[in-house]
Amino acid sequence: MKTTMEEVVRYYLLKMGKKGPVRRRIAIIGMYFCVSLFHFAHYIRDNRKRLAMVMMSLVIFIAYASFSFPIFPDGEEHKQNERLTALISDESVSLAPEAEVDLEGLEDWEEELLFEEDEAALLQEDEEDQIVLEDILTYRREQEERQDAVPESVGEQDREVFSFSSDDWRLILVNKQHPIPEDYDFTLATIKGSQQCDERIIDDLLAMMQAAKEAGFNLLIKSPYRSDTRQEWLFARKIRLYMGKGMSYMDAFKLSSQVVMVPDSSEHQIGLSLDIVCDTYGTLTQGFGETGAGIWLEEHCAEFGFIVRYPKGKEYITSVEYEPWHFRYVGVEAATVIMEQELTLEEFLEEID
């Protein structure tokens, strides 16, 4: 009969235990560990099939978990938060500790924050973004891409019968609840230099600026089309500004979204919106609405297909503060209805649906 390893080990340990008290202690300890080891080995041998199935299940679970990812009901918003978090992290923003905010002066402080940014950055943006009518016309003549004459005012075009459709590119709804569709496509045209907008609105834009000039107002285009990267940077910068004043990230995010649109929900990213001021009032503040140019634009922008996108008193619908400088192109027919009936784009689309 073949002698097993367990029997051999036990034999030598028992033999060792008979050679003195010291070796006996060593043999007892060795016997304890050897018995435990052989008992474990017997268990593995007798249950090898069951253990193999457990190991296989574990391997499959680990492999599956390595390629899995959480599914969120609003995937686009999740992507936006990831990009914004990365942008803020790049600037080494610390979320803690949070300073105590002076609630008594919060109202005045918020008004200041809504319209004040880093001065150096804003001065540079003003120089780069500001465009006047003469610049546009000169550039277009140099490029010889279009006719030299400013197109006839679209306010004089025939619009006897018109059927509205929410599928019309001019009426696309872009806001926090309706991000830019992934398959939305459009062609950019150069206004001047690096400044661009949807090529389909340039003629009407020039007509409006020319009409304003004839009325005695020199309009300035400060912010037409924005790239995705640009919009993300603007939003992240606003969050950093508020957090620097002691606000938490979530509070800064909420307040920032009232002033700068969340990335992928800004109409600037589809080239249909522009920020317009004038040579005597060049800041993007609510006071522009009380200037002669601001009043003229509100009264006549619809004649050229534009609307005041975020009107006063409709913040509960648009979720954006009153912006008398922000104009959105929707076409003459829709703009006429919207401005005459004092609607928002959201309300207009609900009516035609």
Side-chain angles (χ1 to χ4, degrees), residues 190-208:
T190 299
I191 302 174
K192 178 180 179 294
S194 61
Q195 305 307 311
Q196 299 174 302
C197 67
D198 190 310
E199 68 173 358
R200 296 167 289 191
I201 77 171
I202 284 188
D203 286 343
D204 289 342
L205 173 63
L206 287 177
M208 183 171 70

Side-chain angles (χ1 to χ4, degrees), residues 132-239:
V132 297
L133 177 62
E134 286 76 8
D135 291 336
I136 303 173
L137 295 178
T138 300
Y139 177 81
R140 284 162 66 88
R141 283 195 297 268
E142 290 175 352
Q143 297 298 316
E144 297 181 353
E145 293 180 348
R146 298 180 181 274
Q147 296 179 353
D148 293 337
V150 176
E152 178 185 358
S153 171
V154 293
E156 300 174 1
Q157 294 176 359
D158 179 23
R159 48 178 201 268
E160 295 178 355
V161 179
F162 191 87
S163 177
F164 297 110
S165 171
S166 58
D167 294 330
D168 189 336
W169 63 270
R170 297 172 296 182
L171 299 179
I172 180 174
L173 180 61
V174 175
N175 56 27
K176 298 172 187 177
Q177 293 74 36
H178 299 84
I180 302 171
E182 293 184 358
D183 60 349
Y184 184 76
D185 189 29
F186 61 101
T187 302
L188 288 171
T190 299
I191 302 174
K192 178 180 179 294
S194 61
Q195 305 307 311
Q196 299 174 302
C197 67
D198 190 310
E199 68 173 358
R200 296 167 289 191
I201 77 171
I202 284 188
D203 286 343
D204 289 342
L205 173 63
L206 287 177
M208 183 171 70
M209 295 184 71
Q210 182 65 51
K213 185 176 180 63
E214 293 173 357
F217 305 109
N218 293 316
L219 301 182
L220 306 178
I221 300 175
K222 299 202 68 171
S223 183
Y225 167 75
R226 294 176 191 160
S227 66
D228 296 346
T229 302
R230 171 73 170 173
Q231 189 68 29
E232 290 169 0
W233 180 82
L234 288 173
F235 192 75
R237 184 183 66 172
K238 182 66 73 172
I239 291 178

Side-chain angles (χ1 to χ4, degrees), residues 243-292:
M243 290 177 63
K245 297 293 185 178
M247 299 186 72
S248 68
Y249 174 80
M250 289 307 299
D251 288 341
F253 186 99
K254 292 177 181 178
L255 188 56
S256 297
S257 66
Q258 298 176 20
V259 185
V260 180
M261 294 302 293
V262 177
D264 292 332
S265 65
S266 171
E267 295 174 336
H268 285 284
Q269 292 177 263
I270 59 174
L272 294 180
S273 284
L274 310 97
D275 292 340
I276 303 177
V277 287
C278 64
D279 58 351
T280 59
Y281 196 103
T283 58
L284 302 180
T285 59
Q286 294 181 354
F288 175 69
E290 301 174 0
T291 65

Side-chain angles (χ1 to χ4, degrees), residues 13-240:
L13 289 174
L14 290 173
K15 186 176 180 180
M16 179 187 298
K18 296 177 181 180
K19 294 182 179 181
V22 176
R23 293 188 177 183
R24 184 180 299 111
R25 293 189 182 92
I26 297 174
I28 291 173
I29 295 173
M31 184 68 73
Y32 173 78
F33 284 106
C34 288
V35 170
S36 299
L37 178 62
F38 285 117
H39 180 74
F40 180 72
H42 291 321
Y43 179 82
I44 295 295
R45 182 192 62 191
D46 296 339
N47 298 276
R48 56 183 180 274
K49 292 183 179 181
R50 182 184 303 172
L51 293 174
M53 292 298 297
V54 172
M55 290 300 296
M56 182 65 71
S57 300
L58 183 61
V59 169
I60 294 175
F61 173 78
I62 294 174
Y64 175 77
S66 300
F67 294 98
S68 64
F69 55 90
I71 298 176
F72 297 87
D74 193 352
E76 289 301 320
E77 185 172 337
H78 179 64
K79 294 177 183 177
Q80 293 167 6
N81 291 336
E82 285 185 341
R83 292 198 299 267
L84 293 174
T85 302
L87 284 170
I88 293 175
S89 300
D90 290 343
E91 297 296 332
S92 303
V93 175
S94 176
L95 299 182
E98 296 177 5
E100 183 176 354
V101 180
D102 180 12
L103 297 179
E104 294 182 358
L106 182 60
E107 182 175 353
D108 295 336
W109 171 71
E110 284 186 357
E111 182 176 353
E112 175 186 354
L113 287 178
L114 289 178
F115 305 112
E116 291 188 2
E117 300 284 356
D118 180 79
E119 289 297 328
L122 281 182
L123 288 175
Q124 182 178 2
E125 290 173 18
D126 287 345
E127 294 176 358
E128 293 177 353
D129 294 343
Q130 188 167 285
I131 306 173
V132 297
L133 177 62
E134 286 76 8
D135 291 336
I136 303 173
L137 295 178
T138 300
Y139 177 81
R140 284 162 66 88
R141 283 195 297 268
E142 290 175 352
Q143 297 298 316
E144 297 181 353
E145 293 180 348
R146 298 180 181 274
Q147 296 179 353
D148 293 337
V150 176
E152 178 185 358
S153 171
V154 293
E156 300 174 1
Q157 294 176 359
D158 179 23
R159 48 178 201 268
E160 295 178 355
V161 179
F162 191 87
S163 177
F164 297 110
S165 171
S166 58
D167 294 330
D168 189 336
W169 63 270
R170 297 172 296 182
L171 299 179
I172 180 174
L173 180 61
V174 175
N175 56 27
K176 298 172 187 177
Q177 293 74 36
H178 299 84
I180 302 171
E182 293 184 358
D183 60 349
Y184 184 76
D185 189 29
F186 61 101
T187 302
L188 288 171
T190 299
I191 302 174
K192 178 180 179 294
S194 61
Q195 305 307 311
Q196 299 174 302
C197 67
D198 190 310
E199 68 173 358
R200 296 167 289 191
I201 77 171
I202 284 188
D203 286 343
D204 289 342
L205 173 63
L206 287 177
M208 183 171 70
M209 295 184 71
Q210 182 65 51
K213 185 176 180 63
E214 293 173 357
F217 305 109
N218 293 316
L219 301 182
L220 306 178
I221 300 175
K222 299 202 68 171
S223 183
Y225 167 75
R226 294 176 191 160
S227 66
D228 296 346
T229 302
R230 171 73 170 173
Q231 189 68 29
E232 290 169 0
W233 180 82
L234 288 173
F235 192 75
R237 184 183 66 172
K238 182 66 73 172
I239 291 178
R240 291 196 300 270

